[in-house]
Amino acid sequence: MLRYFTAGESHGEALVAFLSGMPAGLKVDQAFIDRELWRRQQGYGRGGRMKIERDRAHILSGVRHGCTIGSPIAVLLENKDWKNWTEALPVEPGDPAKHKRVASPRPGHADLAGVLKYNFPEARYVLERASARETAARVAIGALAKLLLRELGIDVLSHVVAVGGAAVDNEVAWPAVAELYQRKEVLLNCADASAEARMKEEVDRALQTGDSVGGVFEVVAHGVPPGLGTYAQWDERLDALLAAAIMSLQAVKAVEIGAGIIAASSPGSAVHDEIGYEKASGFSGFTRTRNNAGGIEGGVSNGEEIRVRGYLKPISTLRWLLQSVDFATREPIKAAYERSDVCVVPAAGVAAEAMVALTLARCALEKFGGDSMGETQRNFCGYLEQLKKY
Ligand SMILES: Cc1cc2nc3c(=O)[nH]c(=O)nc-3n(C[C@H](O)[C@H](O)[C@H](O)COP(=O)(O)O)c2cc1C
């Protein structure tokens, strides 16, 4: 079974990710992993932190001579900013006068709920772990999951659908999503140039006013065969697993699969994807005229592209715009401000790709098994044959 954890504080020495259950013999491409980390750091509206960090995955275990060996994989990501925090956030007691307090909780962040839960006098430790810096660790192991999926012909990418009130009008086809991945510079990772320009205006407005914006990303998984996930148990449904995976990302407040939201107010005839048959087509010859289901029916992948969207609330660190209470005096005060992003929709999309890749890799390994890539691929190819002959 594929299992993973992360550890690390936002301004601590490093982030660490653990991934166990990967078959042996998967080629590990360091440049690919580091490019994924770079992609997570891009996007118009990121804060100063991203100028400091140049993430690189330092693989500590589970990979030898360029391939996985079936043992747990541990990956370390250094925080370059740590050198500025050694006295503010030391592991040892240190000098309390040099510790950096967070004077008041930010509405929308984990600050207040966290201090009440863990009985902290202020929110430093809360934001250190609640921060989405943690997603860098997920992206590192997500890249390994992507490498596994590629061996099975599956690719996972994302694009931005909306920033604030600016949105793309039509579904973005896979080639346009794949084209975005090739770009050497990322603005808002949107496939529609005019929508992207409007998205940039939304960010500019937030930058000028000290506010922030949210938005919507879409992750597309291309080449997924029918049969991943199952309706047999509630917690094995692919839609449920993907929803939890995406919702687990910081600031995601809603998840949509396919045309889920509009479907709720549309008649069945306009929603459900009619079925046809064309012998040599796709995995099994069965065809669809459209993909409102987002590639999942009954909790099982149906052979169409998987399309899942994450809806992000606006960043909760604002330049002194929101009211809060001083932890020390309980007097009214503006919510604390600390260097922050203003818009993170493209980056959240990259983190969501990692979560989708980890989820699909887990389902694929549950279905096809295999302690080595050869075994996994043999089982996978046997299943593809079965689908062709159906
Ligand atoms: C990639 C990414 C970067 C983020 N950067 C910031 C940031 O710089 N400042 C901030 O206040 N929130 C940032 N957030 C959002 C917070 O992590 C989020 O608001 C906080 O965890 C509370 O949201 P939650 O209730 O969903 O956990 C970021 C989120 C993502 C996905």
Side-chain angles (χ1 to χ4, degrees):
M1 179 172 166
L2 201 65
R3 287 182 295 168
Y4 45 95
F5 289 97
T6 68
E9 283 79 44
S10 178
H11 300 99
E13 190 170 354
L15 298 166
V16 187
F18 305 90
L19 176 66
S20 76
M22 287 290 265
L26 174 70
K27 262 206 196 113
V28 172
D29 178 345
Q30 177 77 45
F32 173 74
I33 302 171
D34 291 340
R35 181 149 196 277
E36 291 294 285
L37 291 168
W38 171 84
R39 291 178 65 231
R40 193 203 71 92
Q41 296 187 286
Q42 304 309 301
Y44 189 64
R46 301 304 301 276
R49 178 76 188 271
M50 286 307 117
K51 295 192 182 79
I52 299 173
E53 301 298 342
R54 273 290 158 273
D55 289 330
R56 186 175 186 281
H58 181 69
I59 297 174
L60 299 172
S61 72
V63 179
R64 297 292 152 191
H65 307 132
C67 286
T68 56
I69 56 171
S71 313
I73 298 169
V75 185
L76 183 137
L77 304 172
E78 210 185 298
N79 282 329
K80 300 257 183 322
D81 205 10
W82 164 243
K83 61 178 184 304
N84 305 316
W85 286 79
T86 50
E87 291 186 315
L89 201 62
V91 171
E92 57 283 357
D95 175 358
K98 293 184 173 156
H99 300 176
K100 257 193 206 163
R101 292 176 63 252
V102 178
S104 56
R106 293 161 299 169
H109 222 297
D111 304 350
L112 183 57
V115 294
L116 296 174
K117 175 176 171 64
Y118 290 98
N119 201 22
F120 296 141
E122 50 88 21
R124 169 55 56 199
Y125 303 148
V126 176
L127 71 91
E128 285 297 326
R129 184 61 189 158
S131 152
R133 171 84 188 126
E134 182 263 345
T135 57
R138 301 200 216 185
V139 168
I141 50 174
L144 293 167
K146 281 187 170 191
L147 290 172
L148 176 109
L149 292 173
R150 275 185 174 183
E151 296 292 318
L152 309 181
I154 300 168
D155 278 302
V156 181
L157 289 173
S158 69
H159 65 104
V160 169
V161 170
V163 170
V168 294
D169 294 327
N170 301 311
E171 182 174 302
V172 175
W174 173 255
V177 180
E179 193 273 320
L180 280 174
Y181 175 78
Q182 301 301 334
R183 290 192 186 167
K184 300 218 161 41
E185 277 178 36
V186 179
L187 185 63
L188 285 153
N189 203 36
C190 177
D192 174 333
S194 82
E196 192 169 49
R198 283 183 280 116
M199 290 174 182
K200 180 173 178 293
E201 285 169 17
E202 294 270 340
V203 181
D204 283 332
R205 218 173 356 261
L207 283 165
Q208 277 155 19
T209 55
D211 219 318
S212 62
V213 273
V216 183
F217 59 76
E218 181 174 66
V219 180
V220 186
H222 183 77
V224 182
L228 298 192
T230 173
Y231 45 78
Q233 283 298 349
W234 66 270
D235 59 349
E236 295 173 55
R237 293 177 62 102
L238 182 57
D239 45 6
L241 295 170
L242 287 172
I246 301 289
M247 188 64 105
S248 76
L249 290 166
Q250 295 83 346
V252 171
K253 291 300 131 203
V255 180
E256 178 184 24
I257 294 185
I261 290 173
I262 188 92
S265 57
S266 308
S269 57
V271 171
H272 301 302
D273 310 325
E274 289 181 309
I275 300 172
Y277 188 78
E278 215 177 287
K279 194 159 178 30
S281 161
F283 290 99
S284 64
F286 289 97
T287 59
R288 303 291 183 131
T289 47
R290 59 188 176 209
N291 184 20
N292 284 337
I296 305 174
E297 288 167 308
V300 185
S301 64
N302 65 7
E304 301 298 304
E305 275 170 2
I306 290 183
R307 288 189 174 247
V308 48
R309 291 181 175 197
Y311 289 67
L312 289 164
K313 67 183 177 187
I315 294 294
S316 43
T317 307
L318 308 179
R319 271 186 275 136
W320 320 110
L321 290 182
L322 290 173
Q323 199 55 43
S324 185
V325 170
D326 192 311
F327 277 123
T329 64
R330 306 289 146 106
E331 292 295 325
I333 186 179
K334 290 292 178 194
Y337 179 77
E338 199 162 278
R339 185 185 55 202
S340 176
D341 298 321
V342 165
C343 170
V344 297
V345 190
V350 176
E353 290 172 30
M355 294 310 291
V356 168
L358 285 159
T359 304
L360 293 178
R362 176 185 150 186
C363 292
L365 288 172
E366 275 164 18
K367 177 146 181 63
F368 307 117
D371 293 308
S372 68
M373 279 312 292
E375 190 181 1
T376 304
Q377 263 164 330
R378 203 163 56 238
N379 297 342
F380 177 68
C381 290
Y383 177 65
L384 293 189
E385 277 300 302
Q386 175 189 311
L387 290 175
K388 277 265 169 270
K389 288 186 190 143
Y390 177 84

